[in-house]
Amino acid sequence: MMPVRVLAVASEVYPIVKTGGLADVAGALPMALKAHGVEMRTLMPGYPDVMRHLAGAGEVRRWPDYFGGPGRLLAGAHDGLDLFVLDVPHLYARPGNPYVTAEGLDWPDNGVRFAALSRVAADIGHGLVPAFVPDVVHAHDWQAGLAPAYLHYDNAPRPGTVMTIHNMAYQGKFAPELAGAIGLPRDAAFDVHGLEFFGGISFLKAGLQLADRITTVSPTYAREIQSDEGGMGLGGLLRERANVLSGILNGIDVSVWNPRTDPHIAYRFGADELSFRSANKAALQHRLGLDPRPHAFLLGVISRLSWQKGLDLLLEAMPVILGDGMQLALLGSGDADLQDRYQAAARAHPGRIAAVIGYDEALAHLIQAGSDALLVPSRFEPCGLTQLCALRYGAVPIVSRVGGLADTVDDAGEAGSAATGFTFGPVTPENLSAALERASFAFHDKPAWRALQLAGLATDVSWRNRAGEYAALYRDLMVSRRG
Ligand code: ADP
């Protein structure tokens, strides 16, 4: 097998910094790729959490003035990940969320912060670190979107480039004047085949326009984003570039998400011990102050609280939950309005509805292990990871039929498939309510429910095969660039 060297560029990497699914992917993919002969190193910004984890890292390069202040490139390793870290304190030494201030506003210099990351990615692509000269630079999301752009405009021999979209809704839009300030040709800011996007510039658009290949995280999302609505302004570009666009489903790290060994759950269990889930259900009910009712249909939600995730629709479906004797355990954070409304629902219906506002990795595991069904009613969902964890933990997924949700959950009503859950569409409160009622009915048919759970547990949600698709893409790209 021809070895391939790939530089991944990501603004968050699990287990060091995570705000969502991108971190999970960036953290798990390098390990899974090793089996496919791909040597991957990941470049990320030196946020305080990163610097803490990289005590032993070595300095590869130092600049007295990197985008307005001193900077260094470090090479190190953490938890099996080989990392390059861009340590530029005036850009990254800020506590909390990587993208927003304590007040929840975008940092005003985000354009410069992530241009700096992409600039060094391109330089590594050109051979800045002789010990690691990549064949391919793989940029994740808008924060890395300028890496293919710098490589394109540098006008020098360069590695192949891949741009991966984890969420079309985040496009990295800035004023056109920024282009000159971050060392890109000013003309590119006004070029529809360059950075230009509705009168401004967009880092994501730049990456999609100028990378050799584009991927996104499920085949259905790859189709959806070619429409005007799903493309969020970039549908036309993606239709034009459809021949280099593909969808590769995400996997999950099956050693982190393993109900046989999970340190965060009350009782560990395997496929032949599903009855032990009841102990996790009791622990979850106890922890969240839900009534200790073993036969109540307990729904779990683990999610960012944003319009995308459709959780306002679930509030509208509350009469079904309450009328049918179901319980709800929600863990999430995000929009203040949704946080307030869920907390109000929990106060109004103690013992039936529980809402934990915050980010809690351990509780997320217990919800997967203890709830009967996991609900993901997203309006759009590039891939979605929580339903994959749910399949592995015997929590039957109830999901909207969009994006990666449609690709990973087979509806119990469809003939001929090994059903793993319940799907509904279009995404309306009525259709969500109907899906909840269908699921609740099925829940009380124990053998049928167990069949759903077992089909879920038998589903391959690991990275093994999906990593192979990335490896094939990198090789294909190398061959076509050489040819
Ligand atoms: P997105 O990236 O759009 O937020 P995904 O489903 O792709 O959605 O990934 C979300 C990841 O973040 C999952 O691993 C999920 O378990 C985790 N997660 C989301 N919200 C929380 C939370 N409040 N507490 C703990 N984990 C969370």
Side-chain angles (χ1 to χ4, degrees):
M1 208 167 14
M2 180 173 42
V4 190
R5 282 188 164 174
V6 181
L7 177 72
V9 191
S11 57
E12 48 183 280
V13 182
Y14 180 87
I16 307 173
V17 181
K18 166 169 163 175
T19 73
L22 163 62
D24 289 315
V25 175
L29 192 52
M31 200 76 86
L33 281 167
K34 277 186 192 161
H36 297 277
V38 176
E39 186 191 341
M40 179 171 267
R41 276 187 165 253
T42 306
L43 168 70
M44 68 185 305
Y47 312 118
D49 281 341
V50 181
M51 301 310 290
R52 256 196 297 285
H53 281 94
L54 271 182
E59 187 176 299
V60 179
R61 195 63 191 256
R62 171 188 291 262
W63 302 270
D65 183 350
Y66 200 75
F67 289 80
R72 303 184 298 160
L73 181 67
L74 308 175
H78 177 75
D79 207 18
L81 289 166
D82 292 316
L83 297 172
F84 286 121
V85 171
L86 183 60
D87 175 29
V88 184
H90 78 281
L91 298 179
Y92 306 128
R94 305 172 193 180
N97 181 290
Y99 317 118
V100 299
T101 65
E103 292 73 42
L105 301 172
D106 287 349
W107 287 107
D109 59 347
N110 270 352
V112 175
R113 296 175 77 214
F114 295 106
L117 183 71
S118 295
R119 180 64 263 177
V120 83
D123 288 330
I124 296 171
H126 291 311
L128 179 72
V129 185
F132 186 86
V133 182
D135 303 297
V136 174
V137 171
H138 185 168
H140 292 279
D141 271 353
W142 75 263
Q143 293 89 347
L146 289 189
Y150 281 117
L151 284 163
H152 172 83
Y153 290 113
D154 284 343
N155 249 330
R158 65 167 180 86
T161 50
V162 179
M163 181 77 226
T164 292
I165 309 158
H166 296 265
N167 195 329
M168 217 56 208
Y170 303 97
Q171 302 184 336
K173 292 189 263 192
F174 301 96
E177 295 73 39
L178 182 68
I182 57 178
L184 283 164
R186 280 167 216 278
D187 295 351
F190 303 100
D191 179 359
V192 286
H193 297 294
L195 316 178
E196 195 276 339
F197 189 57
F198 293 106
I201 62 172
S202 154
F203 287 15
L204 180 65
K205 190 260 170 148
L208 297 177
Q209 184 72 55
L210 300 169
D212 298 320
R213 298 290 161 89
I214 302 168
T215 75
T216 189
V217 290
S218 69
T220 295
Y221 196 57
R223 281 195 300 279
E224 289 169 349
I225 58 179
Q226 294 179 54
S227 71
D228 288 334
E229 192 194 343
M232 300 183 173
L234 290 162
L237 186 165
L238 291 169
R239 285 195 293 277
E240 256 174 49
R241 302 211 70 206
N243 59 328
V244 296
L245 165 65
S246 59
I248 301 177
L249 270 177
N250 284 337
I252 55 171
D253 187 331
V254 292
S255 61
V256 173
W257 293 100
N258 182 353
R260 288 181 191 274
T261 58
D262 193 326
H264 303 299
I265 66 181
Y267 286 84
R268 300 185 189 122
F269 59 94
D272 47 347
E273 302 162 321
L274 277 174
S275 57
F276 288 175
R277 293 188 87 255
S278 60
N280 288 308
K281 180 170 179 175
L284 180 61
Q285 287 170 326
H286 179 71
R287 162 114 187 243
L288 299 186
L290 293 167
D291 296 336
R293 289 168 47 213
H295 301 297
F297 185 40
L298 172 51
L299 302 168
V301 173
I302 305 160
S303 185
R304 287 186 295 119
L305 300 180
S306 72
W307 183 85
Q308 171 193 343
K309 300 293 181 178
L311 292 168
D312 50 322
L313 307 175
L314 181 59
L315 284 162
E316 291 187 52
M318 213 48 97
V320 175
I321 293 181
L322 296 168
D324 214 34
M326 304 181 201
Q327 294 181 331
L328 174 67
L330 174 134
L331 167 63
S333 64
D335 292 357
D337 177 54
L338 282 171
Q339 295 187 169
D340 291 347
R341 290 168 71 193
Y342 273 103
Q343 281 176 316
R347 276 194 304 276
H349 305 286
R352 305 287 308 282
I353 310 284
V356 178
I357 303 303
Y359 191 91
D360 187 335
E361 196 87 28
L363 180 58
H365 284 245
L366 185 60
I367 291 176
Q368 295 285 11
S371 43
D372 297 305
L374 188 95
L375 194 53
V376 194
S378 303
R379 290 189 167 91
F380 69 94
E381 193 60 74
C383 179
L385 296 176
T386 56
Q387 85 281 10
L388 301 180
C389 303
L391 289 169
R392 192 158 158 77
Y393 275 63
V396 172
I398 304 173
V399 304
S400 52
R401 212 156 32 238
V402 298
L405 299 172
D407 292 337
T408 55
V409 179
D410 289 318
D411 188 86
E414 282 163 26
S417 65
T420 53
F422 297 86
T423 70
F424 66 92
V427 188
T428 62
E430 295 74 30
N431 290 337
L432 168 58
S433 298
L436 290 174
E437 278 167 349
R438 267 201 308 139
S440 168
F441 187 76
F443 175 65
H444 294 103
D445 176 352
K446 292 299 163 209
W449 194 259
R450 181 152 302 226
L452 285 174
Q453 290 177 304
L454 289 174
L457 264 72
T459 305
D460 180 13
V461 293
S462 77
W463 269 108
R464 206 170 355 158
N465 292 324
R466 286 103 189 243
E469 293 185 48
Y470 280 104
L473 175 83
Y474 301 145
R475 288 207 167 80
D476 186 44
L477 179 54
M478 276 170 69
V479 169
S480 66
R481 284 183 57 74
R482 279 192 191 133

